[in-house]
Amino acid sequence: MSRLPYSYVGIPLTKAPFDKVTIEVFVDFFCPFSAKASPVLFQLAALDGVAVRVIPYPQPWHWEGGVIATCFNVVCKNMPDNAVEYYIALMKNITKFKEEGKKTSVGAIQELAFSLLPMSKEMKMKKETFMEECNDDESPGVIRMLKNQIKYGRTNAIHETPTYKVNGLVVGASSSWDLSKWKEFLKGLLSEECQ
């Protein structure tokens, strides 16, 4: 029997998970191109009629990306209001993860990911709880979440990161696209005559 996801994979960068234009972005937390693409995603999310979702999709040659994605899913599951802030912190610190990755230690990468958690008085997570959650494969555990995210990517024939789907179709957008290039690309979808 196949296990189905408990909720839609990925996290919305916008209040509305879907809109006139919904952009899904498959990212690898260890991929420099995914990190390069991140700032423009927030600019896109600020546009009227555009919803942006980020879907962790670690590449097989970046084992570290899978560890980081699992840490990200811990936050998505337990601290969903902090997920976007955590996503930004993870992408901004990709070079630190590369340095930790040289130690080839899952624990070292999890420690760094824990240190980047947005901690407020209201929302604290103990380190032991975080580490335990990172290795939880029970449904709806975070490893199960990652397996569903990877399954979703594979069923959409995703081979590289970042990969963009616009309204359900994979498009040839690049991590080097700035906001003006995206606006030009989306112009027809956002125009009044398309309604």
Side-chain angles (χ1 to χ4, degrees):
M1 180 172 97
S2 172
R3 294 187 197 174
L4 297 174
Y6 282 79
S7 63
Y8 190 82
V9 296
I11 61 138
L13 299 184
T14 48
K15 289 190 190 230
F18 303 97
D19 211 324
K20 188 187 304 185
V21 174
T22 299
I23 302 171
E24 295 175 299
V25 187
F26 294 83
V27 298
D28 180 344
F29 287 103
F30 208 68
C31 169
F33 299 105
S34 291
K36 179 182 177 184
S38 291
V40 77
L41 299 180
F42 292 94
Q43 295 171 332
L44 286 168
L47 296 176
D48 285 339
V50 177
V52 179
R53 296 188 72 84
V54 172
I55 300 158
Y57 192 71
Q59 296 295 335
W61 49 88
H62 291 157
W63 67 267
E64 302 92 338
V67 177
I68 301 165
T70 302
C71 295
F72 177 69
N73 284 339
V74 168
V75 173
C76 291
K77 178 182 170 196
N78 296 294
M79 303 164 58
D81 292 340
N82 298 88
V84 172
E85 183 182 352
Y86 191 52
Y87 170 78
I88 294 168
L90 291 173
M91 286 303 192
K92 282 185 178 177
N93 286 281
I94 193 167
T95 54
K96 288 183 184 175
F97 282 109
K98 287 193 177 289
E99 289 168 19
E100 287 299 323
K102 289 177 187 169
K103 297 177 184 176
T104 60
S105 164
V106 170
I109 290 174
Q110 289 173 336
E111 295 260 347
L112 177 56
F114 178 79
S115 75
L116 298 172
L117 272 176
M119 293 290 196
S120 65
K121 287 182 181 178
E122 303 82 38
M123 188 57 86
K124 284 217 179 242
M125 180 176 264
K126 292 182 180 177
K127 189 175 186 179
E128 299 78 33
T129 305
F130 181 82
M131 297 300 194
E132 198 174 287
E133 286 268 342
C134 284
N135 299 301
D136 178 14
D137 195 20
E138 297 299 316
S139 290
V142 296
I143 294 174
R144 174 62 47 199
M145 288 170 68
L146 182 60
K147 288 177 181 178
N148 286 328
Q149 291 157 348
I150 292 169
K151 186 176 188 178
Y152 182 63
R154 287 183 178 159
T155 59
N156 283 279
I158 305 302
H159 298 292
E160 58 188 40
T161 55
T163 294
Y164 305 86
K165 280 179 59 182
V166 176
N167 290 349
L169 296 176
V170 174
V171 297
S174 164
S175 62
S176 64
W177 282 19
D178 61 9
L179 184 60
S180 63
K181 179 75 174 174
W182 271 105
K183 282 182 174 180
E184 178 185 327
F185 180 75
L186 298 174
K187 186 168 46 176
L189 293 173
L190 292 172
S191 67
E192 295 299 318
E193 59 268 12
C194 288
Q195 292 186 10

